[in-house]
Amino acid sequence: MAKQVVYNQQPNKKFLSFFRLKLGLYAMSYRKTNKILAEDGDLLKNNPDAFYKKYPKLKRKKDKNSMYMEEFSGEPPVLFDSLALKSSEEKMKNYLFYKGYFDNEIKSSYKTKNKKTNAIYEVTPKDDHRYRNIYYIAEDSVLGAIVIKNKKNSLLKPGEIFDIENIKEERDRIAVDIQNEGYFTFSADFIILKIDSTIGNHQIDAYLTVKNEIDSSLHKKYVYLDVNLNINYDNKVENKKINLYDRLKDTICNVNFNVVRNSIYPRILAKSLRLKPNDIYTVREQLATRSNLYGLGVFKYVNIKHEPFSFSPEEMGLITTIDCVPNKRHSISNKLELNTNAQSTLGFSISASYINKNVFKTAAKLYFSIRGGVDFQIQKRAEDSLRLNAINNVNVSSEVRISLARIAPSFKKNNCNTYEKYKPKTNIALNYNFQRRLLLYSLHAININYGYEWYNDKFRHMFSPLSFTFVRPNNISEAFQDKLDTNSLLARSFDDQFILGQEYTFFYTNQNINLGKYKNHFSFRGSLNLAGNIIFGFSSLSKNKEKPYTLSGIPFAQFAKIELEPKYFFNFKKQQSLGFRMFVGLGIPYGNSSYDGTAIMPYIRQFSAGGPNSLRAWLFRQVGPGGTGNRYLNSRLLDQTGDLKLEWNAEFRFNIFKLFKGAVFTDAGNIWMYKKNTDRPNAEFNFKRFGKEIAWDAGVGIRLDLSFFVIRFDVALPIYDPGYAAVNENIKWLPDIIKERRSTYNQYKSDNPAINKKYMRKNIYGRLPGLNIAIGYPF
């Protein structure tokens, strides 16, 4: 029961549920203010001249103390009022009645001790009342047909408990359905609820009646007579400075535009409008128009006003005005990020970005960003032969991207009688990424992407007919070169390569269109990446038949890669939810990537598992592939990658206190190679044993939800680790792992208890949990 709804008196608020900070601020300032007032009175009575001389200083003191009570949210003490108990009883009875408990009983009392009073309420809800039947009645048969047509979307179901909030939402739903058929003046006030609770057996029949207007036997439909769009500044002084030359007037598709000349062209705005003269009024198209205009990213405010106009009692229309206020065109932002994990690494990155939101006056957006980051190894271990440097990793990346609010090039003429089902965009991007793995290698990657994007509330499509990537590793250390010399697949993945192909990504979600507050929702992402096929076809027609085929002397990759990622969330009351996610990814190298019988995906296109958004008990790229035990065979910190990935995640999220949220989760999955390779035994996918190679963890998390972003702390334990099983098939589960580590400890334990305790903390228990600090939810 929400106390802010039914309690007339509430105790003073506590800070972090421990002490009443606001009350303390008030008491401190109250005492000081009274002391100052007493000094004022004595001084004024005994020495008026000195009082007026000292008055400015005294006033500043009083103002300062008032600041504690007002600006710093000082809160006066709540004094107990016995009369408030009875009014609270009535509010509680009404609250329970409107929640379906018609025959409830409330009794109140109080106890006082040491000048503190506790209010006691005895609540007896008794039996709840549930719907037997829900009837819809309309005095206007046309409106009745609209209600019946949309009855399948009703929020009231037989067998559910009566709840006045659901009734309000149902009335609003019906009102919107009717408004979407042109009835501008219709509102939820015309829908009357009557309930019959005399049926017995704690059941009720609900009657929702759609009434007519008082002065008319029928409701009237409205059409748009005139539609005008104006762009003005939100500052009146700036608007007065605009002369006629600074304005641009035009009429497109019968819509009148009056815009500031240096803002945005009317032909661009016309594509976003869903309101046209002679169209029937609908709330749906009005919301779509507002969403489209905001989606351009060039407006701070969009306000749509309607003025009813009638030619006769039967002919009703609207004069519609859309007022837009332009946003700031340029924006610059900076960001600092920190990250850490349980394996003694610490990293930070600094990024800066610039956005021009309205290039060429067409709502096109120009993005430029640059980012630099460093990862440090806080604690070094002798067995990490390839990671003895203080700095582990250096990353530098930059991007230049332009996004056009249309499909370009486009040969389609603007049709005033049709609406675009999707919002289109054209994206052109150039990326450069440099990664330096100290004592290992450097990696340079340049990417050029030309693609299209079109989306609405449910679907999003992204298609890149041209995606070009050039990858060049260099500065390879002797130690890492030894690894490449003994692993042909790893060596092939680090060759210089061109990746030239096409990409398509599809998104679906029903989260934004579900009716009701606690509806479950589903989302899905799928992607397909094809590389090297077109250029391979041209190369095969050339006179040079020697493989691999090259582009400017450098081999190009040829592969197909598919990813599927469904998610489902069960949403409950009290800010609780249960989420499930599955990820399936498969990369198949062929053709130019398998010329010598060893098919291998490019390193930057391979899959990995582990990290804050994957298997959270392991580090990033630390799991797999398959049943290999590379992490436990003197190469534990090398990146593990594969051609196939399966992963499952489940997480229960709940509210702890205000901004603090909690979670209990479990993750399972692994990566595999597509084909068998003698350098990596048991790394390939095999139906007979893949079930035994699924890594599994479980953990808990705390999140600080600041609305605009979430800071996440997750701790996970490896329940089942197939990497241990590769070394010793009897060691797979968490108790076996701890037992094995204790056995190792007993062989090498010291006579010094302090050293033994430190060893156990670091090597037996300290390496087991995976600690992840991240921004945002994992899925």
Side-chain angles (χ1 to χ4, degrees):
M1 184 181 294
K3 64 181 181 181
Q4 66 271 20
V5 176
V6 296
Y7 290 176
N8 277 342
Q9 285 191 301
Q10 300 181 50
N12 290 98
K13 297 176 182 177
K14 289 184 178 181
F15 178 71
L16 298 179
S17 299
F18 293 111
F19 54 91
R20 307 186 194 279
L21 176 63
K22 294 184 177 182
L23 177 61
L25 289 172
Y26 179 91
M28 180 177 64
S29 60
Y30 183 80
R31 286 193 296 268
K32 288 186 176 181
T33 301
N34 285 344
K35 183 179 178 181
I36 293 171
L37 291 175
E39 292 176 356
D40 291 354
D42 294 339
L43 189 60
L44 179 61
K45 182 178 179 180
N46 300 324
N47 192 342
D49 293 336
F51 170 79
Y52 290 113
K53 185 177 180 180
K54 193 178 180 181
Y55 178 75
K57 184 177 180 181
L58 293 172
K59 187 176 184 303
R60 284 196 299 270
K61 283 186 177 182
K62 287 191 290 185
D63 292 342
K64 182 179 178 181
N65 283 288
S66 298
M67 181 178 66
Y68 279 104
M69 290 188 285
E70 297 176 6
E71 296 187 17
F72 290 104
S73 302
E75 187 179 72
V78 178
L79 302 178
F80 174 70
D81 182 0
S82 60
L83 297 177
L85 291 177
K86 292 300 179 183
S87 59
S88 293
E89 280 186 26
E90 293 302 319
K91 285 188 175 182
M92 289 182 183
K93 289 180 68 69
N94 291 335
Y95 180 85
L96 289 172
F97 181 89
Y98 289 132
K99 290 296 181 181
Y101 299 93
F102 296 163
D103 304 319
N104 65 82
E105 290 183 0
I106 308 291
K107 294 181 181 179
S108 63
S109 60
Y110 64 92
K111 294 181 179 179
T112 302
K113 184 178 180 181
N114 297 330
K115 297 183 179 182
K116 292 184 179 180
T117 300
N118 291 324
I120 304 167
Y121 297 94
E122 297 180 17
V123 181
T124 309
K126 296 189 176 180
D127 295 315
D128 56 62
H129 287 66
R130 298 175 180 264
Y131 298 111
R132 186 184 70 171
N133 296 302
I134 298 102
Y135 299 99
Y136 295 90
I137 304 169
E139 296 178 353
D140 184 338
S141 60
V142 177
L143 298 190
I146 296 172
V147 173
I148 296 302
K149 181 179 68 173
N150 297 284
K151 185 179 177 181
K152 61 180 180 295
N153 298 323
S154 175
L155 303 178
L156 308 181
K157 308 293 182 184
E160 290 186 351
I161 300 175
F162 173 85
D163 190 337
I164 196 64
E165 294 300 323
N166 288 344
I167 294 291
K168 292 178 180 178
E169 291 179 5
E170 177 68 357
R171 291 173 69 225
D172 291 337
R173 183 194 66 82
I174 295 173
V176 170
D177 287 341
I178 294 175
Q179 289 170 356
N180 280 330
E181 298 293 335
Y183 295 92
F184 170 70
T185 58
F186 191 88
S187 69
D189 295 335
F190 291 106
I191 305 172
I192 308 301
L193 169 69
K194 291 183 180 180
I195 59 174
D196 182 3
S197 59
T198 63
I199 303 168
N201 198 26
H202 307 293
Q203 291 183 316
I204 59 172
D205 286 341
Y207 299 84
L208 287 167
T209 304
V210 179
K211 307 291 290 184
N212 287 336
E213 295 183 5
I214 297 176
D215 299 331
S216 175
S217 60
L218 298 173
H219 291 274
K220 302 293 190 303
K221 275 191 176 185
Y222 285 75
V223 298
Y224 298 109
L225 300 176
D226 204 8
V227 179
N228 307 282
L229 188 146
N230 305 320
I231 295 181
N232 293 292
Y233 295 108
D234 55 354
N235 190 316
K236 293 182 179 180
V237 176
E238 291 180 348
N239 286 324
K240 288 182 179 180
K241 294 180 180 179
I242 300 175
N243 55 41
L244 292 177
Y245 177 78
D246 294 328
R247 287 199 168 276
L248 178 62
K249 295 185 178 182
D250 199 354
T251 300
I252 302 175
C253 298
N254 297 322
V255 177
N256 303 314
F257 294 88
N258 185 358
V259 305
V260 181
R261 187 175 291 272
N262 65 352
S263 59
I264 186 171
Y265 290 125
R267 59 183 172 82
I268 302 299
L269 297 171
K271 297 179 180 180
S272 299
L273 298 188
R274 303 289 290 268
L275 312 180
K276 304 290 174 62
N278 300 320
D279 286 354
I280 294 176
Y281 165 83
T282 66
V283 175
R284 178 176 54 250
E285 303 302 346
Q286 177 179 312
L287 294 176
T289 295
R290 181 181 284 109
S291 175
N292 289 348
L293 291 173
Y294 273 124
L296 293 175
V298 299
F299 295 123
K300 186 191 303 183
Y301 306 115
V302 175
N303 184 30
I304 302 178
K305 298 180 295 186
H306 304 288
E307 184 180 345
F309 185 86
S310 63
F311 298 101
S312 68
E314 302 301 326
E315 295 179 302
M316 315 298 291
L318 298 171
I319 298 176
T320 300
T321 303
I322 306 172
D323 291 319
C324 303
V325 175
N327 211 339
K328 290 183 178 180
R329 180 170 296 186
H330 308 279
S331 67
I332 298 175
S333 62
N334 302 290
K335 185 166 58 175
L336 173 66
E337 295 181 356
L338 297 174
N339 59 79
T340 185
N341 57 56
Q343 304 297 327
S344 302
T345 64
L346 173 69
F348 75 89
S349 64
I350 300 175
S351 62
S353 62
Y354 162 78
I355 302 177
N356 185 329
K357 302 176 183 176
N358 190 15
V359 181
F360 314 128
K361 305 179 189 177
T362 59
K365 296 173 181 60
L366 174 66
Y367 301 86
F368 174 75
S369 65
I370 185 168
R371 180 181 181 274
V374 178
D375 289 338
F376 297 93
Q377 183 76 28
I378 302 174
Q379 179 182 351
K380 295 177 287 187
R381 298 187 291 268
E383 65 266 27
D384 302 336
S385 58
L386 299 182
R387 294 283 185 87
L388 294 179
N389 204 61
I391 299 178
N392 269 351
N393 194 18
V394 177
N395 276 287
V396 178
S397 62
S398 63
E399 179 186 29
V400 178
R401 176 163 52 98
I402 187 168
S403 179
L404 309 176
R406 57 190 175 89
I407 297 295
S410 175
F411 305 100
K412 180 181 177 182
K413 294 183 179 180
N414 185 34
N415 190 337
C416 298
N417 298 320
T418 60
Y419 297 121
E420 293 181 340
K421 185 178 179 181
Y422 294 95
K423 303 173 188 177
K425 284 186 178 181
T426 301
N427 298 307
I428 306 170
L430 171 64
N431 298 274
Y432 168 74
N433 183 272
F434 168 76
Q435 182 183 26
R436 175 58 178 159
R437 303 293 294 272
L438 273 298
L439 300 182
L440 291 175
Y441 58 85
S442 295
L443 197 66
H444 302 264
I446 299 174
N447 175 262
I448 300 174
N449 189 284
Y450 180 89
Y452 303 108
E453 179 180 359
W454 59 102
Y455 59 95
N456 58 20
D457 291 337
K458 295 190 296 183
F459 301 96
R460 180 181 295 267
H461 304 266
M462 302 174 68
F463 173 61
S464 298
L466 175 61
S467 178
F468 172 83
T469 303
F470 171 65
V471 183
R472 164 159 288 181
N474 63 1
N475 294 329
I476 296 176
S477 67
E478 293 184 5
F480 188 64
Q481 186 63 50
D482 292 339
K483 294 291 180 183
L484 298 180
D485 293 339
T486 58
N487 190 327
S488 60
L489 288 178
L490 184 62
R492 280 277 306 279
S493 69
F494 271 85
D495 287 341
D496 290 0
Q497 281 186 334
F498 283 113
I499 303 173
L500 181 62
Q502 299 77 40
E503 298 179 11
Y504 171 72
T505 303
F506 168 77
F507 295 90
Y508 168 81
T509 179
N510 62 4
Q511 184 174 6
N512 296 327
I513 62 173
N514 274 325
L515 299 173
K517 189 175 181 180
Y518 303 109
K519 288 290 184 178
N520 305 330
H521 63 267
F522 169 79
S523 64
F524 174 81
R525 181 186 70 86
S527 68
L528 176 64
N529 182 196
L530 300 175
N533 297 314
I534 296 176
I535 192 171
F536 183 85
F538 282 107
S539 299
S540 61
L541 298 176
S542 65
K543 295 181 180 180
N544 182 16
K545 300 298 182 181
E546 184 180 352
K547 293 184 180 179
Y549 297 130
T550 62
L551 184 65
S552 298
I554 298 175
F556 58 86
Q558 188 176 9
F559 62 87
K561 181 180 178 182
I562 186 171
E563 296 180 5
L564 304 174
E565 186 180 18
K567 303 176 188 177
Y568 195 89
F569 284 87
F570 295 93
N571 293 310
F572 312 110
K573 296 184 178 181
K574 298 181 180 179
Q575 302 182 44
Q576 297 177 349
S577 65
L578 177 61
F580 295 93
R581 168 187 174 267
M582 183 174 74
F583 181 90
V584 179
L586 173 63
I588 303 177
Y590 55 87
N592 216 50
S593 292
S594 61
Y595 58 90
D596 60 354
T598 56
I600 185 68
M601 293 279 292
Y603 176 75
I604 64 172
R605 292 291 189 266
Q606 290 180 320
F607 297 104
S608 63
N613 298 321
S614 182
L615 302 175
R616 282 167 272 187
W618 290 269
L619 285 176
F620 181 62
R621 295 177 179 266
Q622 194 187 50
V623 181
T628 61
N630 288 346
R631 291 189 297 112
Y632 310 105
L633 297 174
N634 297 323
S635 57
R636 60 185 299 162
L637 289 179
L638 279 176
D639 291 344
Q640 307 302 322
T641 58
D643 303 326
L644 187 152
K645 179 177 179 180
L646 296 176
E647 188 171 295
W648 299 267
N649 311 89
E651 184 167 293
F652 178 67
R653 300 168 184 171
F654 51 91
N655 185 45
I656 297 178
F657 175 75
K658 293 188 177 179
L659 300 178
F660 292 94
K661 317 294 181 182
V664 178
F665 60 84
T666 182
D667 312 302
N670 205 334
I671 58 172
W672 291 267
M673 301 305 297
Y674 177 64
K675 288 188 175 182
K676 187 175 182 179
N677 183 267
T678 55
D679 294 333
R680 306 175 85 178
N682 296 326
E684 78 283 358
F685 183 83
N686 188 307
F687 275 106
K688 293 182 179 180
R689 67 168 195 271
F690 91 96
K692 299 179 180 180
E693 296 171 352
I694 299 293
W696 178 30
D697 69 34
V700 296
I702 296 178
R703 290 84 193 272
L704 181 61
D705 191 344
L706 301 176
S707 296
F708 50 94
F709 73 94
V710 175
I711 302 175
R712 173 163 56 95
F713 303 88
D714 289 337
V715 178
L717 284 172
I719 305 300
Y720 180 88
D721 190 340
Y724 264 102
V727 180
N728 187 335
E729 62 179 11
N730 296 320
I731 303 174
K732 306 174 184 178
W733 300 93
L734 179 62
D736 299 327
I737 296 172
I738 295 177
K739 184 178 179 180
E740 187 269 342
R741 289 185 173 181
R742 278 184 171 273
S743 175
T744 303
Y745 155 73
N746 289 331
Q747 296 178 26
Y748 300 103
K749 67 179 180 180
S750 169
D751 294 331
N752 189 330
I755 295 177
N756 291 335
K757 184 177 180 181
K758 184 177 181 180
Y759 180 90
M760 289 182 66
R761 185 174 68 250
K762 289 184 177 180
N763 295 281
I764 296 181
Y765 302 110
R767 294 185 187 178
L768 282 177
L771 172 63
N772 298 279
I773 303 176
I775 302 296
Y777 288 104
F779 61 91

